[in-house]
C-alpha cells in the first residue's frame, strides 16, 4: 500500500504539494466565509487561509477503550487493536483478545499460530462469514448498485448461512439477523477454535493481577490484552460548536457535505460494506467538481431532506451501535453518488428557466437525449382529473400535446382541464361502460382529432383480508381496472391499426407481478391487465400499434391512503408521469417503477419456492397487517356503496 501511494504521487506529480511532519492544530471559519488553518511543523506554528478544507483524517484512529474500566488491576500489557502491527507482539504470550469484529478475528487467528495461548472474549455474538463462498472470494459476489438494500441483505444472509453459525464453537448466538451488522469475515477462526488454539469466553467481569475473570466466573492467565473495541469519531482540530459527533452521530449529505459548513468537506468518513478507498476516490472527484464549478447542488432544503432521510434509513438497517452510524452499502453508494454527480452537472449547464417536461428529462437521469416533442399529437387520459393522470397531463401539455381528460362524472375532468390550460379538454367517462367509453372517444375525436396516444390511468383498490372484502368492492375493481382496459383496447386499437400507428399505455401496478397480501382482487385485476395486454400485443405485432404496461410500487395518491410501502420508498405521481414520458420517447412493453423491481422479481423467480416466498415476504408489504382502515374509509366508501 505504501509503495502504491509513493508511485501514485510520483506519477501525478503532486508530491511537492504535501507538507510532511506537520500537525493541524485548529480549523475555524473566517469572517469572509473561508477557513483559517493553524498548523505546527518543524519551523513552528503557522496560520494559513483557504477557500475550502477537505477533512480526510478518517474514523479509525481514535481508539475506543472500555468505559467505565473493568474493576480490579491487571499486571500485564494492554494495547488497542489500533496499535497492533504484527504477530511478533504475540509471540509466546498468554493473550486475551476482546471483541468480535474483523480485527479481533484476525488477531486471534494469528495468535493461534504465535502466542502461548489465546482467549477470545465476546459479549455479543456475530455472524462470521467465510472469505470464500461457492469457490469465489465473497467480496466479488456483487450486485448492481441500483438494487434495493434488501437484496444486499439477502446476499449477506446467504453468505452467513452458507458459512455456518458459530454457536457450536462456543460463541454466543447473534441476537440480530444476518445483514443487520457490519460484515465480519474470517476464513480460519472456526478451524482455530475447533483445534483448541483459540478458547472462547464471554465478556470480562474483572481483573486480578495476572488473571482475567469472565462473566461465567472462569479465569485465564494473561500477560497481554488486545482491545479490539472499535473507534471514536473525533476531530480535535474542529471546535465542538462546529462539529460534535457525540456517540459517532454525524449526519452528512452523501457522507461528504454538511449544509451548515460550506467549504468543509469530509472524505472517507463512512463505513462501507466493502472497501473504503473507491468511495473516498469518488467523493474526492465529486468535491473537485464542486470546487471547479462543474457541479451545482440541489436546493438547501433538498440537501437537508436527503441527508436526514439517508442517515435515518441507514441506521435502521443495522442494530443500534456506534459502529453502525456511518454504514453505507458499497455498490449502492457509488451508484447513487454517480447519479447525483450527473444531475448536478446538468443543473450546472442549465441556462434560463426550464419547463416541467425538461425537468422531467433531467430527473429521468438524462435517458432522453433531447426534450420530447409531441406537437400536434392527441393524447387521451382516463382517470385524468387527479393523481397520476393529472400529473401526466401536465407533462404532456408541456411537451406540446393536445390532451383530453376523461373522468367519472365529468365535472372533475373539466375543472382539471381548465386548470391545465387551453390545450386540455375534459369529458365524462365511465370506463366500466362501453357506451360511455365510446362516447368519450367520439367527443375527443370531434374536439381534438384522432387519438394518437391513450393513457389508461383509471383505477380503484380495496385493501384488507380476502375474506372480508365486500362483493361490490371486488366487482368494482375488476370492472374499472380490467374491464376498463379491455374497453379501451377494443375501441382504440382497431382505429390505430387502420392508421398504422398508435400507443396505448396502461398504468397498472407492481401488483401485476408481485403477490401482495391484502390486495387479492386488486392484484387479480392487475395480473389480468398484464396477461390481457400480452395476448393483444401478440395479435398487434407489426401493425404499428404499440402497447405498454407501467407497473409502479406504492404511489402517494388517494388510492394508496393508509397502506404500507414495505421496503420501497413512497413514489409520487410525478414519478409515474415521467415514466409515461420515457415510455413514449423509448417504447418498452413492461416498465416497472422503480426499475429494479422488475429485475429483482426475475432474479427471485429463479429461487426455490420456499426461499422465493421468504424473499417476497420481505420485499412485498403485508397490507392485511399494516392497513389503516380509518385512513382508507373515505376513499373506499366512494365505490363500495350502492
Amino acid at each position: 500500500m505504501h509503495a502504491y501511494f509513493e508511485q501514485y504521487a510520483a506519477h501525478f506529480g503532486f508530491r511537492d504539494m504535501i507538507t510532511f511532519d506537520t500537525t493541524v492544530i485548529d480549523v475555524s471559519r473566517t469572517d469572509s466565509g473561508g477557513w483559517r488553518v493553524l498548523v505546527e511543523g518543524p519551523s513552528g506554528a503557522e496560520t494559513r487561509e483557504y477557500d475550502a478544507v477537505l477533512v480526510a483524517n478518517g474514523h479509525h484512529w481514535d481508539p475506543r477503550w472500555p468505559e467505565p474500566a473493568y474493576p480490579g488491576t491487571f499486571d500485564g500489557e494492554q494495547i488497542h487493536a489500533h496499535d497492533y502491527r504484527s504477530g511478533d507482539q504475540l509471540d509466546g504470550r498468554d493473550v486475551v483478545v476482546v471483541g468480535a469484529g474483523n480485527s479481533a478475528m484476525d488477531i486471534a487467528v494469528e495468535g493461534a499460530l504465535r502466542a502461548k495461548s489465546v482467549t477470545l472474549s465476546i459479549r455479543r455474538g456475530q455472524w462470521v462469514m467465510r472469505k470464500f463462498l461457492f469457490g469465489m472470494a465473497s467480496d466479488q459476489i456483487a450486485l448492481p448498485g441500483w438494487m434495493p438494500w434488501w437484496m444486499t441483505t439477502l446476499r449477506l444472509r446467504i453468505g452467513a448461512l452458507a458459512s455456518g453459525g458459530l454457536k457450536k464453537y462456543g460463541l454466543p448466538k447473534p441476537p440480530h439477523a444476518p445483514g443487520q451488522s457490519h460484515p465480519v469475515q474470517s476464513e480460519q477462526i472456526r478451524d482455530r477454535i475447533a483445534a483448541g488454539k483459540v478458547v472462547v469466553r464471554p465478556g470480562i467481569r474483572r481483573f486480578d493481577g495476572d488473571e482475567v475473570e469472565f462473566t461465567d466466573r472462569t479465569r485465564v492467565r494473561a500477560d497481554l490484552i488486545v482491545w479490539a473495541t472499535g473507534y471514536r469519531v473525533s476531530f480535535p482540530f474542529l471546535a465542538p460548536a462546529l462539529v460534535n459527533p457525540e456517540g459517532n452521530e454525524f449526519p452528512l449529505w452523501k457522507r461528504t457535505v454538511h449544509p451548515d459548513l460550506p467549504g468543509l468537506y469530509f472524505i472517507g468518513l463512512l463505513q462501507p460494506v466493502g472497501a473504503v478507498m473507491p468511495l473516498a476516490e469518488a467523493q474526492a472527484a465529486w468535491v473537485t467538481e464542486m470546487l471547479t464549478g462543474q457541479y451545482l447542488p440541489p436546493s438547501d432544503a433538498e440537501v437537508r431532506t436527503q441527508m436526514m432521510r439517508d442517515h435515518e434509513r441507514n441506521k435502521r438497517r443495522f442494530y443500534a451501535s456506534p459502529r453502525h452510524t456511518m454504514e453505507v452499502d458499497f455498490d449502492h453508494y457509488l451508484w447513487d453518488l454517480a447519479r447525483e454527480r450527473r444531475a448536478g452537472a446538468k443543473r450546472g449547464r442549465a441556462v434560463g428557466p426550464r419547463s416541467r417536461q425538461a425537468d422531467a428529462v433531467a430527473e429521468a437521469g438524462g435517458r432522453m437525449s433531447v426534450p420530447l416533442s409531441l406537437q400536434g399529437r392527441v393524447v387521451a387520459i382516463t382517470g385524468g382529473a387527479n393523481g397520476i393522470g393529472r400529473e401526466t397531463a401536465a407533462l404532456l401539455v408541456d411537451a406540446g400535446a393536445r390532451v383530453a381528460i376523461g373522468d367519472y362524472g365529468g365535472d372533475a375532468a373539466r375543472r382539471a382541464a381548465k386548470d391545465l390550460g387551453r390545450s386540455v379538454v375534459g369529458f365524462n367517462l365511465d370506463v366500466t361502460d362501453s357506451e360511455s367509453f365510446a362516447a368519450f372517444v367520439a367527443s375527443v375525436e370531434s374536439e381534438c382529432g384522432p387519438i394518437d396516444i391513450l393513457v389508461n390511468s383509471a383505477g380503484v383498490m380495496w385493501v384488507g383480508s380476502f375474506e372480508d372484502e365486500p362483493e361490490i368492492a371486488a366487482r368494482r375493481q375488476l370492472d374499472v381496472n380490467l374491464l376498463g382496459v379491455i374497453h379501451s383496447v377494443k375501441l382504440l386499437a382497431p382505429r390505430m391499426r387502420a392508421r398504422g400507428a398508435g400507443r396505448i399505455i396502461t398504468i397498472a401496478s407492481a401488483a401485476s407481478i408481485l403477490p401482495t397480501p391484502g390486495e387479492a382482487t386488486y392484484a387479480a385485476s392487475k395480473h389480468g391487465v398484464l396477461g390481457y395486454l400480452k395476448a393483444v400485443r401478440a395479435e398487434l405485432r407489426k401493425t404499428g400499434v404499440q402497447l405498454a404496461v407501467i407497473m409502479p410500487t406504492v404511489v402517494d395518491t388517494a388510492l394508496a391512503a393508509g397502506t404500507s410501502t414495505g421496503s420501497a420508498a413512497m413514489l409520487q405521481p410525478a414519478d409515474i408521469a415521467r415514466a409515461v414520458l420515457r415510455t413514449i420517447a423509448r417504447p418498452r412493453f413492461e416498465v416497472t417503477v422503480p426499475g429494479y423491481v422488475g429485475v429483482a422479481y426475475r432474479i427471485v423467480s429463479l429461487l426455490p419456492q420456499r426461499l422465493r416466498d421468504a424473499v417476497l415476504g420481505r420485499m412485498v408489504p403485508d397490507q392485511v397487517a399494516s392497513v389503516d382502515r380509518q385512513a382508507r374509509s373515505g376513499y373506499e366508501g366512494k365505490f363500495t356503496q350502492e
Side-chain angles (χ1 to χ4, degrees):
M1 185 68 75
H2 176 262
Y4 170 77
F5 286 143
E6 289 281 1
Q7 294 167 13
Y8 190 97
H11 177 79
F12 290 102
F14 61 82
R15 189 182 182 89
D16 59 327
M17 299 179 184
I18 303 173
T19 305
F20 292 101
D21 301 316
T22 301
T23 302
V24 176
I25 305 300
D26 183 70
V27 176
S28 57
R29 300 291 295 270
T30 65
D31 293 338
S32 61
W35 293 91
R36 183 180 297 108
V37 180
L38 174 63
V39 299
E40 190 174 273
S43 57
E46 179 185 352
T47 299
R48 306 171 185 173
E49 290 195 3
Y50 297 93
D51 295 319
V53 172
L54 279 65
V55 179
N57 67 319
H59 56 285
H60 285 166
W61 69 272
D62 187 0
R64 187 173 71 233
W65 298 81
E67 291 183 12
Y70 289 104
T73 58
F74 180 65
D75 295 340
E77 181 185 2
Q78 300 184 56
I79 66 172
H80 192 275
H82 181 69
D83 300 310
Y84 175 79
R85 294 294 178 267
S86 75
D88 294 345
Q89 295 167 272
L90 311 176
D91 273 341
R93 308 182 74 172
D94 293 307
V95 181
V96 173
V97 180
V98 182
N102 289 291
S103 296
M105 297 296 164
D106 289 345
I107 295 171
V109 166
E110 183 67 17
L113 302 174
R114 309 283 295 268
K116 182 179 178 181
S117 68
V118 178
T119 302
L120 182 59
S121 173
I122 298 177
R123 290 191 303 177
R124 181 186 180 112
Q126 296 291 334
W127 297 95
V128 181
M129 295 188 294
R130 294 188 179 275
K131 294 186 177 182
F132 292 89
L133 290 170
F134 313 118
M136 297 175 60
S138 58
D139 62 353
Q140 298 301 305
I141 305 173
L143 297 172
W146 44 262
M147 280 196 156
W149 171 252
W150 66 263
M151 290 294 289
T152 297
T153 300
L154 176 63
R155 176 172 66 88
L156 294 174
R157 291 189 178 191
I158 291 174
L161 295 174
S163 297
L166 292 175
K167 186 177 179 180
K168 66 179 180 181
Y169 295 98
L171 276 72
K173 182 179 179 180
H176 56 277
Q180 291 182 329
S181 66
H182 185 77
V184 179
Q185 290 184 297
S186 178
E187 190 65 23
Q188 301 179 41
I189 189 65
R190 292 170 175 82
D191 295 338
R192 297 291 181 263
I193 296 173
K197 298 296 185 180
V198 175
V199 177
V200 179
R201 290 286 181 259
I204 292 174
R205 180 172 179 265
R206 65 188 307 276
F207 299 125
D208 187 7
D210 62 353
E211 290 190 331
V212 179
E213 182 179 322
F214 302 97
T215 56
D216 63 356
R217 302 295 175 143
T218 60
R219 288 177 170 238
V220 297
R221 185 186 180 281
D223 53 24
L224 174 65
I225 296 177
V226 182
W227 299 98
T229 46
Y231 298 85
R232 291 187 180 86
V233 177
S234 63
F235 308 97
F237 46 84
L238 291 169
L242 280 178
V243 174
N244 184 21
E246 186 175 352
N248 289 3
E249 282 278 344
F250 188 37
L252 292 170
W253 183 47
K254 310 299 183 189
R255 297 302 315 156
T256 308
V257 174
H258 196 291
D260 293 334
L261 303 171
L264 191 66
Y265 304 95
F266 295 84
I267 305 298
L269 192 61
L270 34 66
Q271 184 70 43
V273 180
V276 72
M277 287 79 77
L279 277 61
E281 181 183 24
Q283 289 176 316
W286 182 37
V287 172
T288 301
E289 292 166 358
M290 294 187 211
L291 297 177
T292 57
Q294 302 172 62
Y295 169 90
L296 184 67
S299 68
D300 180 77
E302 179 63 20
V303 167
R304 293 176 188 275
T305 298
Q306 288 186 23
M307 178 178 73
M308 294 312 301
R309 181 188 63 208
D310 292 349
H311 182 68
E312 293 302 322
R313 179 196 63 206
N314 291 340
K315 283 175 58 180
R316 285 195 302 270
R317 290 171 173 170
F318 301 90
Y319 71 79
S321 169
R323 75 187 301 222
H324 292 147
T325 57
M326 298 180 296
E327 202 81 20
V328 299
D329 179 11
F330 179 93
D331 297 303
H332 181 79
Y333 181 87
L334 287 176
W335 172 80
D336 181 60
L337 185 58
R339 182 176 60 170
E340 176 54 37
R341 288 170 62 188
R342 289 193 300 269
K346 288 180 181 294
R347 289 190 292 264
R349 291 193 299 265
V351 178
R354 300 195 301 178
S355 69
R356 284 171 294 190
Q357 191 262 342
D359 285 336
V361 175
E363 291 186 43
R367 285 184 283 271
M368 288 179 275
S369 59
V370 295
L372 178 67
S373 175
L374 295 175
Q375 199 68 41
R377 307 285 289 279
V378 176
V379 183
I381 304 175
T382 72
N386 300 287
I388 295 170
R390 181 168 176 144
E391 286 289 337
T392 302
L395 288 184
L396 291 169
V397 167
D398 279 350
R402 185 86 162 96
V403 177
I405 291 174
D407 215 315
Y408 190 73
D411 290 342
R414 285 183 282 271
R415 285 195 300 270
K418 183 178 179 180
D419 292 341
L420 290 169
R422 293 169 55 187
S423 62
V424 185
V425 292
F427 301 102
N428 174 57
L429 170 61
D430 179 357
V431 297
T432 69
D433 185 337
S434 59
E435 292 184 1
S436 175
F437 218 128
F440 169 70
V441 172
S443 298
V444 174
E445 291 182 338
S446 174
E447 183 81 19
C448 308
I451 296 172
D452 298 296
I453 302 171
L454 172 70
V455 179
N456 282 314
S457 183
V460 294
M461 179 172 73
W462 186 91
V463 178
S465 170
F466 71 90
E467 58 192 317
D468 295 332
E469 183 179 39
E471 183 174 348
I472 187 174
R475 290 185 179 278
R476 188 65 178 167
Q477 289 172 95
L478 293 172
D479 286 348
V480 174
N481 301 346
L482 178 55
L483 189 59
V485 172
I486 294 174
H487 286 155
S488 75
V489 173
K490 282 189 170 183
L491 279 166
L492 286 167
R495 288 172 163 83
M496 294 176 176
R497 181 174 56 193
R499 298 197 304 268
R503 304 274 188 85
I504 299 176
I505 300 172
T506 299
I507 312 297
S509 166
S512 299
I513 55 175
L514 299 175
T516 308
E519 298 175 5
T521 302
Y522 180 76
S525 69
K526 296 301 183 179
H527 274 70
V529 165
L530 181 59
Y532 176 78
L533 292 176
K534 281 182 177 180
V536 173
R537 179 171 177 262
E539 294 185 41
L540 293 174
R541 192 171 290 130
K542 298 182 180 180
T543 65
V545 182
Q546 295 178 331
L547 305 183
V549 187
I550 295 178
M551 297 173 282
T553 54
V554 183
V555 186
D556 189 11
T557 63
L559 180 144
T563 62
S564 169
T565 63
S567 61
M570 175 73 79
L571 297 174
Q572 296 300 314
D575 296 322
I576 318 309
R578 287 193 288 268
V580 172
L581 231 64
R582 292 196 299 271
T583 303
I584 294 173
R586 296 179 59 183
R588 291 172 54 200
F589 176 57
E590 293 184 43
V591 179
T592 56
V593 186
Y596 68 73
V597 171
V599 178
Y601 180 71
R602 286 192 288 274
I603 293 173
V604 171
S605 298
L606 300 176
L607 299 174
Q609 186 67 54
R610 289 183 64 183
L611 185 55
R612 187 190 321 165
D613 290 343
V615 173
L616 289 174
R618 292 190 57 82
M619 183 178 176
V620 181
D622 183 348
Q623 304 294 11
V624 175
S626 61
V627 66
D628 183 341
R629 298 294 332 157
Q630 185 174 358
R632 292 196 59 76
S633 60
Y635 167 78
E636 292 181 353
K638 295 178 181 179
F639 66 87
T640 56
Q641 296 174 3
E642 296 288 357

